[in-house]
Amino acid sequence: MKKLVYILIALFLITGCQTSTTLEVSKRTGETEYKAFRTVSDAKQVKRALRIVESAKWEQMKAEMTRPADYQFSFPHPEAKAVLYECWVEGDSVLLTHADNMYATLSAQEAKKLLAILIEET
């Protein structure tokens, strides 16, 4: 039952971001420092990134990572607190985490699509 509650909360937080029109991306610049990297404002790219995150197979578990995330991103929403996602790039795969110990690994295809949106140079 507790797991179901966490999943419902996560879905509520993720779904609450659907009206967001931007994607804010920060890049790790030091051991624990992050700097604003880019803002994605193209509606198609924002929706595509949101779909990738929503369709990920999220599991509740405490992910013990050996280093800080490579990127952090969020879908700011004027009426709700933005969920901060952390992203680790490991070869062809991407690992994601967010609040409440939620963890997901993206397929190589989805990882490539998300990274193209997150780190594309403008």
Side-chain angles (χ1 to χ4, degrees):
M1 183 67 175
K2 191 174 184 180
K3 184 177 180 178
L4 178 61
V5 170
Y6 283 121
I7 291 172
L8 290 174
I9 290 171
L11 288 174
F12 174 74
L13 292 173
I14 292 171
T15 335
C17 298
Q18 287 184 355
T19 59
S20 179
T21 57
T22 61
L23 168 62
E24 301 289 333
V25 183
S26 296
K27 184 176 182 176
R28 184 165 49 99
T29 58
E31 186 58 34
T32 57
E33 296 87 31
Y34 290 84
K35 182 178 178 184
F37 178 64
R38 74 184 295 239
T39 298
V40 179
S41 55
D42 178 272
K44 287 182 182 180
Q45 285 189 321
V46 173
K47 286 181 183 178
R48 188 175 302 134
L50 187 57
R51 262 195 311 269
I52 291 168
V53 170
E54 286 179 334
S55 66
K57 293 182 176 145
W58 292 96
E59 298 179 39
Q60 184 183 5
M61 66 185 290
K62 179 134 177 88
E64 297 290 333
M65 307 308 274
T66 59
R67 61 182 167 81
D70 299 305
Y71 298 93
Q72 294 178 334
F73 64 95
S74 64
F75 301 90
H77 189 283
E79 299 173 9
K81 183 178 176 185
V83 175
L84 179 66
Y85 295 92
E86 293 187 304
C87 174
W88 286 262
V89 180
E90 298 286 341
D92 289 339
S93 64
V94 166
L95 309 168
L96 298 175
T97 64
H98 74 79
D100 297 325
N101 296 324
M102 298 301 286
Y103 169 90
T105 302
L106 299 180
S107 68
Q109 182 180 13
E110 294 298 296
K112 184 177 179 179
K113 290 177 188 176
L114 182 62
L115 286 175
I117 295 167
L118 294 181
I119 65 175
E120 176 184 18
E121 297 291 333
T122 56

